[in-house]
Amino acid sequence: MIRDQDTLDFLVTTVGRFVDEVLIPHENEVAETDEIPETVIAAMRELGLFGLTIPEEFGGLGVTMEEEVRIVFELGRASPAFRSYIGTNNGIGSLGILIDGTQAQKEQYLPRLASGEYLSAFCLTEPDAGSDAASLKTSAVLDGDHYILNGTKRYITNAPHAGIFSVMARTDPANKRASGISAFIVERGTPGLSLGKPDHKMGQKGAHTCDVVFEDVRVPRSQLIGGVEGVGFKTAMKVLDKGRLHIAALAVGAAERMLADTLRYAMDRRQFGKPIAEHQLIQAMLADSKAEIYAARCMVLDAAQRRDAGQPISTEASCAKMFSTEMCGRVADRCVQIHGGAGYVSEYAIERFYRDVRLFRIYEGTTQIQQIIIAKNMMAEAG
Ligand code: COS
């Protein structure tokens, strides 16, 4: 749903210009230093990018899902590190509070996330609980007016910068199923909470992940999301339904960028007496990429519109995430191929993007998990 076409057009154009004029020119620096410059973070804050999806009453822009994916198509054209920095506040880090939090929790945290004062992190994955998220072991034991949290969370995006952590933990140790899990908001600086060393990733330099360790962390009872035990896994799944659509849009944006760079290269680079873009085997790779990006873009927009219309979109979000991220991987591979030797050296952005986009097929649920969700939903619908 688009609430006001003119306002959205202005927003998309503004973000697009910011991507071209500020983010893309800083990509190499971010890749080399593994840091996003403070000036760029300040500019993202000024544009309101930390609060895109947070409702206006809490200081955000309150964009709809369709508006969000249209903006993310633009952001996806720059190095994923930039999107990652603002991504948790607009997605998995804030959504638990937004979807299932109490009014007091929303009032306390959402304005700080919208302004970018706080970054947030989503703590679901553990060393022994990745795809099988419901098997998580982090415990939260009630002790008077506090829960005591113990456990380790792994590969947590933005953990090194986060002011708050949405943490899924087991409140009922006897219940090993999803219904034994609850969700909490834990503030940085709470005694017993510590961070592991930074993960050295294949790509996405400038996007930081690490372990988050809980050792007898005392969290006030008021930090239980929604004030209800046993529904934390469902909160996490609802968060991921929306998060997966966001990642699907990101994959479309990245594929569009890679293809645009590659088309330019293919029209410049000459072999056998003419630009390689005029060779039909190159044209096949360009055309297949164009068609697949178009298909993914349509799929993402359709799923976003359905969510805005209030329809359940678990299946559509998984379809969009699976198709778009796999498509992005195929486009990355073809774009390296078209660049030839130049695609394997870091002088060209495609070498970096090839590594960066590999993560899209893994995080927020692997392709195989999306397949399982789609098939399970199909069977449930068929009775
Ligand atoms: N929205 C609301 N509720 C949902 C839901 C959704 N999208 N998906 C599942 N649930 C509910 C189910 O209805 C079920 O509730 P009941 O017990 O009341 O019936 C409960 O949650 C458990 O669901 P299910 O039985 O399907 O859970 P499984 O343990 O089989 O796991 C998968 C389901 C595999 C889909 C889940 O573990 C998953 O998404 N894994 C990947 C995790 C992931 O994406 N990790 C990335 C980390 S974030 S970067």
Side-chain angles (χ1 to χ4, degrees):
M1 180 182 66
I2 294 172
R3 295 162 303 168
D4 172 26
Q5 189 68 53
D6 290 344
T7 308
L8 178 65
D9 288 347
F10 176 74
L11 198 54
V12 170
T13 308
T14 305
V15 172
R17 200 177 313 127
F18 181 68
V19 164
D20 289 324
E21 294 175 2
V22 179
L23 299 187
I24 293 178
H26 279 95
E27 284 180 349
N28 284 338
E29 180 186 344
V30 171
E32 277 160 26
T33 61
D34 196 19
E35 294 291 341
I36 302 175
E38 268 305 320
T39 51
V40 175
I41 292 172
M44 294 200 290
R45 219 175 262 135
E46 200 155 306
L47 266 182
L49 293 183
F50 288 91
L52 284 172
T53 62
I54 294 175
E56 285 168 289
E57 61 177 307
F58 300 114
L61 296 179
V63 298
T64 64
M65 191 75 232
E66 181 177 357
E67 292 167 347
E68 177 181 343
V69 298
R70 288 183 185 276
I71 294 165
V72 176
F73 289 153
E74 290 300 313
L75 286 172
R77 294 192 297 105
S79 165
F82 300 113
R83 198 288 323 173
S84 181
Y85 200 80
I86 59 133
T88 45
N89 280 27
N90 285 299
I92 55 176
S94 67
L95 273 171
I97 302 173
L98 191 54
I99 296 173
D100 282 339
T102 62
Q103 186 63 18
Q105 289 166 346
K106 291 178 189 178
E107 283 169 9
Q108 189 174 355
Y109 293 109
L110 294 180
R112 294 176 190 177
L113 296 177
S115 67
E117 178 193 338
Y118 275 4
L119 248 59
S120 54
F122 178 72
C123 298
L124 178 64
T125 302
E126 297 183 356
D128 295 321
S131 290
D132 184 7
S135 70
L136 65 83
K137 292 194 190 115
T138 295
S139 61
V141 177
L142 191 59
D143 177 32
D145 270 352
H146 287 76
Y147 286 92
I148 302 174
L149 268 64
N150 278 288
T152 299
K153 296 293 179 176
R154 182 138 294 172
Y155 310 136
I156 304 303
T157 300
N158 281 338
H161 312 288
I164 58 165
F165 301 83
S166 300
V167 184
M168 268 47 72
R170 195 169 295 283
T171 38
D172 182 355
N175 180 352
K176 302 290 178 212
R177 295 156 47 103
S179 51
I181 296 170
S182 306
F184 297 88
I185 308 162
V186 184
E187 295 192 3
R188 186 189 195 85
T190 309
L193 188 158
S194 61
L195 301 177
K197 55 182 176 14
D199 297 323
H200 292 289
K201 305 188 304 307
M202 173 194 286
Q204 301 221 2
K205 294 280 180 277
H208 301 148
T209 64
C210 68
D211 280 5
V212 181
V213 182
F214 299 86
E215 288 169 303
D216 291 331
V217 175
R218 289 181 73 81
V219 178
R221 210 170 174 164
S222 58
Q223 301 298 84
L224 174 66
I225 292 184
V228 188
E229 281 191 13
V231 293
F233 186 78
K234 286 187 185 172
T235 298
M237 291 300 110
K238 287 184 269 181
V239 165
L240 286 170
D241 278 348
K242 184 165 189 283
R244 286 166 182 159
L245 254 184
H246 180 110
I247 299 298
L250 176 66
V252 169
E256 284 177 341
R257 161 71 185 282
M258 291 187 288
L259 188 60
D261 282 7
T262 302
L263 177 63
R264 215 172 304 121
Y265 180 84
M267 290 169 72
D268 282 349
R269 169 81 173 160
R270 297 178 71 84
Q271 288 293 277
F272 302 104
K274 57 183 179 183
I276 61 170
E278 290 179 21
H279 293 292
Q280 289 185 339
L281 293 180
I282 298 288
Q283 289 180 343
M285 288 192 274
L286 292 172
D288 283 355
S289 300
K290 181 77 180 172
E292 287 194 61
I293 292 171
Y294 178 47
R297 184 181 250 270
C298 291
M299 191 185 273
V300 170
L301 283 170
D302 176 71
Q305 286 160 359
R306 284 171 191 262
R307 189 178 191 280
D308 286 337
Q311 297 174 20
I313 51 117
S314 173
T315 302
E316 287 74 12
S318 286
C319 287
K321 204 265 181 186
M322 174 174 79
F323 184 80
S324 302
T325 60
E326 290 289 329
M327 172 282 291
C328 190
R330 288 192 293 274
V331 169
D333 191 69
R334 289 185 200 117
C335 289
V336 169
Q337 197 68 15
I338 292 171
H339 277 78
Y344 204 68
V345 296
S346 59
E347 190 185 335
Y348 292 88
I350 190 62
E351 181 272 337
R352 173 164 40 78
F353 265 91
Y354 181 79
R355 289 181 286 110
D356 288 349
V357 304
R358 187 63 184 83
L359 185 59
F360 296 167
R361 292 159 58 196
I362 298 172
Y363 68 178
E364 300 202 20
T366 61
T367 291
Q368 290 66 34
I369 285 296
Q370 310 312 325
Q371 289 172 318
I372 288 169
I373 294 171
I374 295 164
K376 257 182 157 178
N377 290 348
M378 286 168 67
M379 289 189 286
E381 276 166 31

